[in-house]
Amino acid sequence: MTEPLVELEHEFSLDIDYDPSRWLELPPRWDTEEWQDIDAWARTCAELLWRSYGQDPGESGISFLAGVLRRFAEAFAPEPFDTRVLLRMWEPATMPLQVFSMVKPAQGDREETLRFLVGAEDLDAVEPPVVESFHTELGEGLRTFRYLRQDDTPEVIAALRYAWRDEEVGADVVLWTATDDTARVIRAAQDIEELAHKVSVAVWNLEPDDEESPDTKS
């Protein structure tokens, strides 16, 4: 899958004001301070999700959902603190959709950089990417929707990407999802659009002896 690579820099972190009734965040890999292990996290979240929907999980519902959440965590849980991963959750028996967010120091011309980050000129796309602008509180950003080949197989991946620049703190933000289930991307598209408006950048003071929390937020 030809997704643009983004160089990571540990100067920023992301704040996301997401709706917990729709989104479940994957903890960093692996946050043993808060959770005993990945199984404990997956089981607890599965129980809470079934309870929140007021449905009877039956004999296998909780175990099934816990297994799904574990696989997503194993595949997508982030390592750096400048990356966060959310799952768009629906009914407990419905497969979630992973959505990634990342922040990096702003570099180069704004328009050129944003087009690169969303893959606007992706020559490996099945067809020319659909490129649109969208408005954020921080200014205009770009959004693309593309169909990509998974390596050399006939499998097609649907990819939705957002990118914008926070000029105040000098950071570029990327929000994206990619999956072979186009219907899930379409179903989540409006929620992902709303999520893009709820992302802000926190700037960290990287002095060697400073362990304080972020000192500036956009």
Side-chain angles (χ1 to χ4, degrees):
M1 182 169 58
T2 54
E3 287 290 88
L5 298 178
V6 181
E7 295 294 332
L8 297 179
E9 296 287 347
H10 298 280
E11 299 180 8
F12 306 104
S13 62
L14 293 171
D15 288 335
I16 308 177
D17 183 22
Y18 60 85
D19 181 353
S21 69
R22 298 182 181 183
W23 299 95
L24 174 65
E25 183 163 10
L26 296 181
R29 190 185 307 270
W30 181 253
D31 188 357
T32 56
E33 293 183 2
E34 184 174 356
W35 298 97
Q36 179 180 355
D37 55 34
I38 189 174
D39 290 315
W41 171 82
R43 181 81 183 185
T44 299
C45 290
E47 292 172 350
L48 291 173
L49 286 164
W50 273 104
R51 189 183 307 163
S52 69
Y53 276 89
Q55 299 179 15
D56 181 3
E59 295 184 1
S60 60
I62 291 177
S63 296
F64 169 79
L65 182 54
V68 169
L69 295 179
R70 178 191 174 94
R71 290 193 294 275
F72 272 82
E74 289 176 335
F76 303 121
E79 294 183 3
F81 66 79
D82 49 10
T83 301
R84 296 177 67 176
V85 184
L86 302 176
L87 301 181
R88 176 58 172 98
M89 304 298 299
W90 290 286
E91 300 79 9
T94 300
M95 195 64 62
L97 177 68
Q98 69 280 3
V99 176
F100 305 86
S101 57
M102 179 184 296
V103 60
K104 65 184 294 290
Q107 295 179 345
D109 175 75
R110 173 189 170 278
E111 181 72 15
E112 181 179 335
T113 299
L114 295 186
R115 290 185 68 83
F116 167 75
L117 291 175
V118 298
E121 278 86 30
D122 187 356
L123 299 179
D124 293 325
V126 174
E127 55 191 40
V130 177
V131 184
E132 301 173 311
S133 63
F134 79 102
H135 180 75
T136 75
E137 291 73 8
L138 304 174
E140 293 297 316
L142 290 180
R143 173 181 60 227
T144 60
F145 183 79
R146 295 171 294 156
Y147 288 108
L148 312 172
R149 293 289 184 193
Q150 177 66 42
D151 299 325
D152 295 324
T153 72
E155 182 179 13
V156 175
I157 302 294
L160 176 64
R161 273 197 172 231
Y162 290 78
W164 63 94
R165 175 164 293 182
D166 185 337
E167 298 282 5
E168 182 178 349
V169 300
D172 291 329
V173 182
V174 191
L175 184 78
W176 79 95
T177 188
T179 178
D180 59 0
D181 188 343
T182 304
R184 271 191 293 158
V185 176
I186 295 173
R187 184 179 183 185
Q190 184 59 46
D191 292 316
I192 297 173
E193 175 90 14
E194 293 175 2
L195 195 67
H197 291 274
K198 297 183 178 182
V199 178
S200 60
V201 181
V203 183
W204 288 76
N205 185 342
L206 296 182
E207 292 297 326
D209 297 328
D210 190 350
E211 297 181 357
E212 297 297 323
S213 57
D215 54 17
T216 304
K217 291 185 180 180
S218 64

